Amino acid sequence: MAEKFPIPAYIIIILIISRLISTIGNSKPWNILVPHKLLTLDIGSRLHLDPAAIKSASSDYGNIFKENPVAVLYPSSTEDIAALVKAAYNSSVPFKIAAKGRGHSVRGQAMADGGVVVEMMALKNYRNGNGITVGSGFYADVAGEQLWIDVLNATLEHGLSPASWTDYLYLTVGGTLSNAGISGQTFRYGPQISNVYELDVVNGKGELMTCSALKNSELFYAALGGLGQFGIITRARIALEPAPKRVKWVRMLYSNFSSFSRDQEYLISMNGRRQKQALDYLEGTLIMDQGSLDNWRSSFFPPSDHPKIISQVKTHAIIYCLEVAKYYDDHTQNTLHKELQTLFKGLSYLPGFMFEKDVSYVEFLNRVRSGELKLGSQGLWEVPHPWLNLFLPKSRISDFNKGVFRDIVLKRNITTGPVLVYPMNRNKWDDRMSAVIPDEDVFYTVGFLHSSGFDEWEAFDDQNKEILKFCENADIKVKQYLPYHRNKEEWIKHFGSKWNTFAQRKAQFDPKMILSPGQRTFNNI
């Protein structure tokens, strides 16, 4: 086996800059453009140019885009990341840098074509198990590359847990906080970005800054939901609460969308963090003839009940599934049944179509994992995922149901993956943060979580485009979650009244537009 020798940092930098120069047609010799301080960088052994490293950083979960970086940094510390960004910032020809966690983006957002990708997960090899520290108060200091499943396990050892989650826990903390982090808990506890006290961020100048609502607050609010445009999150102080032990998990089926949405909105109206009768989780999904009753998110419905559910689906074409959960422990288990009975009284689900499970807290939160492992064993996980995730105002959800679910989706008849639809409360979000949501007090998230073959994804992408075109023609003011836009006009429309602030923050924290080029927010302007 050939021995691998560390590559001097200055050679890496020269190669990166020469690639950039050749791209832009600059005829100056490379070495004239390399500042002297770059020649002394101490990260050369952790910058990789080998084909395996380049390949791993050139694709993502979406498996649609493919963009090759020039190099991949496997950092051993936050200082390595800061040194790389500072090198780019001080260069006469700044190179692009993208931070990659699990690579769970679907449109190349974590890529850096012709630049450098920072493989954040490499940091775990140097933490010696110290990436998560549970403080003496109700918080945990968590390194940005840590997975949410690890946060769950570490905090449970102290009888504590975050309150807000994503459906899938094998994502990095820095990655979800750069978007928002949503799931069925969001209506009550807010998105994950609303449950953070403090951040450490390497900004676009290579400066490591600690920020919070009281210290460097502009960067704090910029980075949360900021799509990686203002800095790389290397630590987050996350709010914790006492952890429950078990979960009563319930699904109810509806044939009428108005009843389904009305009941969802009623249930999320009880949303105080200390409101005893409030649910802890609420989502909704579509069940359609071409889909599976038990998709990758979990197996729930008893096989003996499949025939009667399928009969309803064939009769109505779409069945709407309301999914809720209530946490409990030894102190609350005796009152749980009565509380749920009171809460569900008057709901308009189909008689005889309520299904219940009683599971551990960990089993509930980690419900997607078993599906992932099953699909992975069948070679069906690392396939194209032409997803479309939207936020839309409550006032137009009925129009969306008629024009999209019951028209576009049924006519095309290709949707087999999960389709999520559930409401959230705007007052659980902080408008000072970069994330954008509809203006109404209640808004819905709709997620088309498609999986496809490598020669079939374009059909799903065409459906996504038709859905977006319908919304535009119907004047339904949707906002994309995990957004993909192609030009300045689309980004300005996406951010709306926040665009000027977003652009000003970019000029302040990443003036040379080095970070997160895969979002195409500024580098195509």
Side-chain angles (χ1 to χ4, degrees):
M1 182 182 292
E3 185 176 354
K4 292 184 179 179
F5 293 95
I7 302 173
Y10 70 88
I11 293 178
I12 300 286
I13 300 299
I14 288 173
L15 286 168
I16 293 170
I17 293 178
S18 65
R19 166 75 180 268
L20 291 167
I21 292 172
S22 66
T23 300
I24 64 177
N26 194 321
S27 60
K28 293 181 182 179
W30 327 323
N31 55 354
I32 294 176
L33 295 170
V34 182
H36 175 71
K37 65 177 68 176
L38 294 185
L39 306 183
T40 61
L41 284 177
D42 193 32
I43 56 174
S45 63
R46 292 179 287 281
L47 276 161
H48 291 241
L49 300 173
D50 57 282
I54 299 300
K55 182 179 179 182
S56 71
S58 67
S59 61
D60 60 13
Y61 180 70
N63 277 303
I64 294 171
F65 282 70
K66 188 175 181 65
E67 296 181 345
N68 290 331
V70 172
V72 182
L73 176 69
Y74 291 79
S76 63
S77 66
T78 298
E79 288 72 25
D80 286 353
I81 300 171
L84 178 71
V85 178
K86 188 169 289 186
Y89 180 75
N90 288 334
S91 174
S92 57
V93 183
F95 49 89
K96 306 295 185 183
I97 297 172
K100 174 178 173 282
R102 287 298 308 282
H104 209 73
S105 58
V106 295
R107 300 281 176 172
Q109 289 94 332
M111 299 180 196
D113 189 29
V116 180
V117 169
V118 180
E119 193 66 60
M120 297 294 290
M121 294 292 290
L123 285 167
K124 295 189 74 172
N125 299 326
Y126 299 91
R127 297 288 187 189
N128 297 318
N130 296 322
I132 303 170
T133 303
V134 179
S136 56
F138 284 85
Y139 68 85
D141 282 316
V142 182
E145 80 284 351
Q146 298 294 309
L147 303 181
W148 284 102
I149 182 65
D150 297 324
V151 177
L152 174 63
N153 291 330
T155 55
L156 283 177
E157 292 180 4
H158 300 263
L160 301 171
S161 166
S164 185
W165 297 94
T166 52
D167 286 335
Y168 179 58
L169 301 185
Y170 290 76
L171 303 173
T172 62
V173 168
T176 66
L177 295 182
S178 294
N179 289 281
I182 63 171
S183 184
Q185 296 90 357
T186 304
F187 82 92
R188 183 176 181 187
Y189 300 104
Q192 290 180 317
I193 57 174
S194 293
N195 291 268
V196 177
Y197 294 135
E198 186 177 272
L199 298 172
D200 283 346
V201 178
V202 176
N203 68 16
K205 302 174 187 179
E207 301 166 337
L208 176 60
M209 300 179 67
T210 298
C211 54
S212 67
L214 300 176
K215 180 181 180 181
N216 297 316
S217 60
E218 196 71 20
L219 179 58
F220 180 71
Y221 293 123
L224 292 169
L227 308 177
Q229 291 298 312
F230 311 104
I232 298 172
I233 296 172
T234 60
R235 179 187 65 91
R237 178 165 289 182
I238 298 167
L240 302 179
E241 296 197 349
K245 291 185 177 180
R246 298 196 63 80
V247 177
K248 180 65 75 172
W249 188 5
V250 182
R251 290 184 181 178
M252 295 165 271
L253 303 187
Y254 293 72
S255 60
N256 181 277
F257 183 79
S258 295
S259 299
F260 168 71
S261 59
R262 183 176 61 249
D263 285 356
Q264 283 190 315
E265 291 162 17
Y266 161 70
L267 291 171
I268 72 160
S269 68
M270 291 166 280
N271 55 64
R273 288 181 85 104
R274 302 290 173 251
Q275 194 168 354
K276 193 174 179 182
Q277 72 269 37
L279 293 167
D280 293 291
Y281 166 99
L282 181 147
E283 289 193 5
T285 57
L286 306 190
I287 301 176
M288 294 176 286
D289 195 26
Q290 65 269 38
S292 169
L293 291 178
D294 294 319
N295 56 53
W296 59 266
R297 300 178 67 238
S298 66
S299 291
F300 193 95
F301 300 107
S304 60
D305 287 316
H306 284 195
K308 72 174 187 177
I309 298 174
I310 291 171
S311 175
Q312 290 291 327
V313 173
K314 290 188 177 298
T315 299
H316 300 285
I318 297 176
I319 289 295
Y320 306 95
C321 175
L322 172 56
E323 178 181 49
V324 301
K326 181 77 172 171
Y327 306 155
Y328 71 95
D329 54 26
D330 295 340
H331 300 294
T332 57
Q333 63 177 347
N334 292 331
T335 60
L336 177 69
H337 177 73
K338 186 175 181 180
E339 287 175 3
L340 289 178
Q341 199 173 37
T342 301
L343 201 57
F344 296 159
K345 186 178 180 180
L347 298 185
S348 301
Y349 58 90
L350 292 168
F353 286 88
M354 175 190 283
F355 306 87
E356 298 183 10
K357 275 190 174 184
D358 194 289
V359 297
S360 72
Y361 183 57
V362 173
E363 182 181 351
F364 174 74
L365 291 181
N366 202 26
R367 60 196 177 278
V368 175
R369 180 64 167 172
S370 60
E372 175 198 1
L373 294 176
K374 180 180 179 181
L375 290 176
S377 68
Q378 299 170 347
L380 298 175
W381 187 257
E382 294 183 3
V383 297
H385 295 95
W387 286 10
L388 178 64
N389 291 277
L390 302 173
F391 293 146
L392 62 147
K394 164 191 163 182
S395 63
R396 303 303 304 276
I397 191 63
S398 179
D399 297 326
F400 190 91
N401 173 61
K402 293 173 185 174
V404 176
F405 296 152
R406 304 209 69 89
D407 188 10
I408 295 173
V409 170
L410 288 182
K411 283 182 179 178
R412 285 184 173 262
N413 197 36
I414 59 173
T415 300
T416 55
V419 179
L420 308 181
V421 51
Y422 58 93
M424 303 177 181
N425 294 300
R426 196 178 206 285
N427 64 0
K428 301 297 181 176
W429 296 64
D430 191 326
D431 204 42
R432 293 170 293 183
M433 296 175 183
S434 293
V436 290
I437 55 178
D439 290 333
E440 296 185 7
D441 290 341
V442 173
F443 63 94
Y444 277 76
T445 183
V446 176
F448 295 90
L449 309 186
H450 302 302
S451 300
S452 75
F454 282 90
D455 57 350
E456 299 168 341
W457 68 266
E458 289 179 320
F460 293 94
D461 211 37
D462 287 342
Q463 176 173 291
N464 292 341
K465 291 174 183 176
E466 186 177 358
I467 291 169
L468 291 171
K469 189 64 177 177
F470 167 80
C471 291
E472 180 181 354
N473 292 340
D475 197 30
I476 300 175
K477 299 187 187 310
V478 298
K479 300 291 184 183
Q480 288 190 40
Y481 179 59
L482 312 176
Y484 169 66
H485 295 298
R486 295 159 293 182
N487 54 54
K488 179 178 181 179
E489 290 70 27
E490 289 183 3
W491 278 111
I492 290 175
K493 183 178 179 181
H494 171 79
F495 283 104
S497 61
K498 285 191 174 184
W499 171 254
N500 287 339
T501 299
F502 196 85
Q504 289 165 8
R505 286 172 170 173
K506 183 70 170 179
Q508 180 179 355
F509 298 115
D510 185 21
K512 295 190 178 181
M513 302 184 183
I514 292 167
L515 299 174
S516 198
Q519 295 284 358
R520 299 169 180 82
T521 312
F522 292 97
N523 50 307
N524 283 349
I525 293 175

